Amino acid sequence: GKGIAKAVLAEAEAMASARQCLSVRVDTHPGNTIMQGLLSGQGYLYCGKFNLPDGEEAGALRLCYEKVL
């Protein structure tokens, strides 16, 4: 890659920090192993999983990650 995803995460973290947020949370599709690796590599910790409650993808499984700022 070209580092674009890392840059986007870094910018989101900077924006959250500027707004005095304590953490950033991200969810991703279980099959998106590239995103899971990116998140882990950037200091995000796996927190668990949930199913989307409504919308087009209601019931779809997502994996949750969080990084404390």
Side-chain angles (χ1 to χ4, degrees), residues 1-66:
K2 298 178 182 175
I4 295 170
K6 286 182 185 178
V8 169
L9 279 177
E11 181 62 22
E13 293 164 12
M15 292 171 68
S17 185
R19 288 168 176 75
Q20 300 178 346
C21 294
L22 301 178
S23 67
V24 174
R25 295 178 182 173
V26 179
D27 65 79
T28 188
H29 189 276
N32 193 346
T33 56
I34 292 173
M35 181 64 162
Q36 293 166 39
L38 171 70
L39 293 170
S40 294
Q42 297 304 304
Y44 286 76
L45 299 177
Y46 174 75
C47 299
K49 52 190 168 186
F50 75 100
N51 295 91
L52 295 174
D54 52 28
E56 263 184 49
E57 295 187 68
L61 183 65
R62 294 293 184 264
L63 305 180
C64 308
Y65 290 81
E66 181 176 29

